[in-house]
Amino acid sequence: MVAADDGTWPLDFPTLYVVPDWIAQHCRLESVGGLVRGPQPFEMYDWQLRCTAHFYRVRTEARIGQLSTAFCFRRGQVVAPQKSGKGPWTAGITAAEAVGPVLFAGWAEGGEVHDCRSYGCGCGWVYEYEPGEPMGRPWSTPLIQITATSEDQTDNVYRPLQAMIRNGPLGELMRVGEQFIRLPNDGRIDVVTSSAQSRLGNPVTFVIQDETGIWTETNKMTKVATTQRRGLAGMSGRSLETTNGWDPSENSVAQKTAETQAKDVYRFHRLPPKGLSYRNKAERRKIHAHVYEGSRHIDLDAIEGEAAELLEKEPAEAERFFGNRLVAGMGTWLQQDRWDARTQVRELPERARVVLGFDGSDVDDWTGIRAETLDGYQFTPTYGPDARLAIWDPQDWQGQVPRLEVDAAVHDLFERYDVVRMYADPPYWETEVDTWADRYGDKRVVRWYTQRVVQMHAACERLLTDVTKAASSFGHDGCEITSLHVRNARKAARPSNRYVLRKASVLQKIDLAVCSVLAHEAAGDVIAAGEAKAKRRRGRGF
């Protein structure tokens, strides 16, 4: 998974700086900081300016005539808490995409300007480019869609956009209607919802997708998102998602974007510090202060009141909406932030004593190995000349897990580490597990069936306890794939108040979480058997 911007990425790159300046000049709102003072220029907060700069970041090899391909990012996603300012910001971006200088127009050599009068705007504003700065120009026929699950949701963007047009010079170029805005050269901005999908086949140059954390297969918004992206690809256009935190069990559009491996998708998500409890009022205040940083109109006391009330009945929802965390609802096995808080990367000596946990599949689920030292440090090992992670997604291997690669990884790990024990779940891998037991000894390679309810429940509880208890020495390497798989794991109820692990949905894998459970169980069993210390080898004369 490609990392998201957490507000610390550098801003030392070429971008269309003309865009935020154009927005400040042309977009005006009556409400500034919650006070009605007459139309005021929309000046971006620092986080909004950061996201704008990244979204309009220009590739150093960009050429005149390129549209979306002139930019580093084909689309973007901004995850921010409730009422932090996403709506007005995306309204400003939409206005710029409608009639502003948002397309790459070459590199300035000195003396070039953007003069609004050249594009039909009589405000008189002129922007002078610095030498070497990328220049911008408007679309000739912009075709824009503001999309959400309902009309009320689209109002988050559409209402401030209407106000920006009516309160400033944009009224000369844009004609406001209830469901669409007419633009020059037969361009337009349309409002699209799940109940008005007839417009989805239209070509588009820019799309706002609002609150994608609730866009799912069930409400048919996943299809909306993919259809719009196909339309954008045909026009070489771009899109921008905004959302609160989402429920990881729902496999929403926002979650798919956040987990994409594509490197041309910009994502901004400022997560709160790890290890803070949202149920603790003092720590909750610190969480709010962090995720709302820079949104000057926010009163943290007001946010606390709403969050505390929602926390009484919908704690996961409160944490997603106001804490900007990705927290699942009922049935979650282990909250991701509790797991992530145990990250403590460290180097291991040669021939370190470890145990291994192996969970295998064939053509659907993933196959993986997790290792753990006997003092409680768990990690995803690497193998082979390229130091590949011991994780195999069948889709990366022509649809089937590469069994020779897995066997090579096991051989490498037994050579590199002092493997005391390996717990391996045999289904689909009986022959390989038998081979490993014969090769390394059946006291070291143990067949451990995860479908045994009593044993699996106990193993899951052991790891859960050691991750969440305050005095635990357990730590791990911060493997992002394992973190996602832990987040996807749900409790599947079984008799006698027990459970085993299941996926939140068919597409949300949990295999590395299972590997972690097996590795931790193996470590605990080795210690309980008194095998934690290496046996001394007696030489001659002793």
Side-chain angles (χ1 to χ4, degrees):
M1 184 177 69
V2 181
D5 180 8
D6 60 358
T8 63
W9 287 12
L11 296 173
D12 53 348
F13 48 76
T15 186
L16 293 182
Y17 290 111
V18 65
V19 173
D21 281 12
W22 183 95
I23 291 173
Q25 173 65 29
H26 293 82
C27 299
R28 298 174 188 174
L29 289 173
E30 291 186 352
S31 178
V32 178
L35 300 175
V36 178
R37 299 186 297 186
Q40 300 290 315
F42 178 62
E43 297 283 353
M44 293 186 188
Y45 296 145
D46 287 348
W47 70 264
Q48 295 168 330
L49 188 59
R50 162 179 290 276
C51 294
T52 304
H54 276 286
F55 189 67
Y56 290 103
R57 178 176 180 176
V58 177
R59 293 165 49 236
T60 55
E61 65 273 23
R63 304 187 310 274
I64 294 177
Q66 291 180 316
L67 301 176
S68 64
T69 52
F71 298 97
C72 292
F73 299 109
R74 173 174 45 89
R75 62 190 183 96
Q77 179 191 65
V78 173
V79 185
Q82 193 88 341
K83 306 304 179 185
S84 57
K86 299 188 295 293
W89 173 67
T90 48
I93 297 294
T94 303
E97 288 285 337
V99 293
V102 296
L103 294 178
F104 176 68
W107 302 93
E109 296 180 356
E112 296 92 339
V113 299
H114 174 87
D115 189 334
C116 280
R117 291 169 294 187
S118 299
Y119 301 99
C121 177
C123 73
W125 184 67
V126 176
Y127 178 93
E128 185 173 351
Y129 293 104
E130 298 287 337
E133 182 180 352
M135 300 182 291
R137 66 173 178 86
W139 285 90
S140 57
T141 305
L143 300 167
I144 298 171
Q145 291 180 346
I146 298 171
T147 322
T149 55
S150 66
E151 288 187 17
D152 287 345
Q153 192 70 49
T154 59
D155 282 346
N156 288 339
V157 181
Y158 198 59
R159 282 184 178 175
L161 176 59
Q162 289 174 312
M164 288 173 175
I165 296 170
R166 289 169 177 152
N167 292 331
L170 294 177
E172 298 179 21
L173 301 173
M174 306 165 73
R175 296 292 180 264
V176 176
E178 289 299 320
Q179 293 294 323
F180 71 94
I181 297 171
R182 196 173 299 282
L183 304 175
N185 302 322
D186 294 324
R188 59 188 287 154
I189 300 173
D190 284 310
V191 172
V192 178
T193 67
S194 58
S195 60
Q197 298 186 26
S198 60
R199 301 189 185 101
L200 291 179
N202 296 343
V204 280
T205 60
F206 181 69
V207 171
I208 288 290
Q209 297 175 329
D210 189 50
E211 207 52 60
T212 54
I214 57 175
W215 290 29
T216 63
E217 296 282 355
T218 303
N219 59 24
K220 300 181 181 179
M221 293 301 289
T222 299
K223 182 179 179 182
V224 170
T226 55
T227 302
Q228 286 182 323
R229 287 174 196 153
R230 287 198 300 271
L232 287 164
M235 295 291 289
S236 196
R238 300 198 296 157
S239 63
L240 184 60
E241 290 181 34
T242 55
T243 187
N244 299 131
W246 55 87
D247 185 335
S249 68
E250 295 179 349
N251 198 29
S252 64
V253 168
Q255 180 168 341
K256 291 174 182 177
T257 296
E259 295 177 4
T260 183
Q261 297 295 318
K263 295 182 179 179
D264 60 351
V265 178
Y266 171 70
R267 295 178 295 111
F268 176 83
H269 189 173
R270 189 163 53 197
L271 286 163
K274 297 174 181 178
L276 295 180
S277 170
Y278 199 73
R279 290 183 177 274
N280 180 290
K281 184 175 180 179
E283 294 184 6
R284 185 165 64 247
R285 181 79 176 200
K286 294 178 181 178
I287 291 171
H288 292 162
H290 182 83
V291 300
Y292 283 99
E293 182 181 356
S295 295
R296 295 188 298 274
H297 66 285
I298 288 295
D299 182 341
L300 292 183
D301 291 331
I303 294 297
E304 167 60 24
E306 290 295 327
E309 183 176 355
L310 186 57
L311 196 62
E312 294 176 1
K313 294 184 179 180
E314 298 290 345
E317 193 170 298
E319 195 162 358
R320 291 196 299 269
F321 281 5
F322 299 110
N324 215 32
R325 280 177 171 164
L326 308 181
V327 183
M330 297 297 292
T332 301
W333 170 56
L334 174 57
Q335 295 290 2
Q336 186 182 24
D337 66 300
R338 302 296 297 275
W339 173 264
D340 289 346
R342 289 289 177 181
T343 301
Q344 42 184 264
V345 180
R346 73 189 209 201
E347 297 292 329
L348 296 179
E350 292 185 11
R351 296 296 297 169
R353 286 172 64 79
V354 301
V355 297
L356 305 177
F358 170 82
D359 183 42
S361 69
D362 189 26
V363 297
D364 183 19
D365 291 331
W366 294 18
T367 293
I369 300 172
R370 288 281 283 175
E372 187 171 326
T373 64
L374 298 180
D375 61 351
Y377 176 67
Q378 193 176 104
F379 61 100
T380 301
T382 59
Y383 73 96
D386 298 324
R388 297 180 63 99
L389 287 174
I391 300 172
W392 299 272
D393 175 0
Q395 299 307 311
D396 294 337
W397 299 89
Q398 300 180 327
Q400 190 169 29
V401 173
R403 292 174 182 259
L404 291 179
E405 287 274 331
V406 177
D407 184 65
V410 171
H411 176 78
D412 194 356
L413 297 179
F414 271 84
E415 287 288 317
R416 188 149 39 104
Y417 298 102
D418 180 6
V419 179
V420 185
R421 192 169 299 181
M422 175 183 185
Y423 278 175
D425 190 19
Y428 304 107
W429 289 79
E430 286 86 351
T431 299
E432 287 82 2
V433 173
D434 287 346
T435 299
W436 298 336
D438 181 65
R439 185 188 300 165
Y440 306 113
D442 57 11
K443 290 186 178 180
R444 297 173 76 191
V445 178
V446 178
R447 300 160 187 83
W448 207 100
Y449 291 87
T450 58
Q451 69 264 40
R452 297 176 300 163
V453 175
V454 174
Q455 290 83 354
M456 187 61 181
H457 170 82
C460 291
E461 283 291 289
R462 185 203 290 256
L463 180 56
L464 176 65
T465 300
D466 288 343
V467 169
T468 56
K469 70 183 181 183
S472 173
S473 61
F474 179 84
H476 61 76
D477 60 341
C479 171
E480 289 188 348
I481 294 174
T482 302
S483 177
L484 288 177
H485 287 206
V486 167
R487 189 179 79 190
N488 292 339
R490 300 291 179 270
K491 297 177 183 178
R494 294 295 184 266
S496 302
N497 203 31
R498 295 189 176 95
Y499 65 86
V500 294
L501 298 184
R502 65 171 178 84
K503 306 174 196 173
S505 71
V506 174
L507 297 176
Q508 293 175 271
K509 306 305 181 184
I510 65 170
D511 307 282
L512 271 295
V514 174
C515 293
S516 293
V517 170
L518 294 179
H520 196 59
E521 185 72 2
D525 288 350
V526 165
I527 293 170
E531 302 175 21
K533 295 182 179 180
K535 296 179 180 179
R536 291 184 178 180
R537 295 182 179 179
R538 293 182 176 272
R540 292 180 181 178
F542 288 89

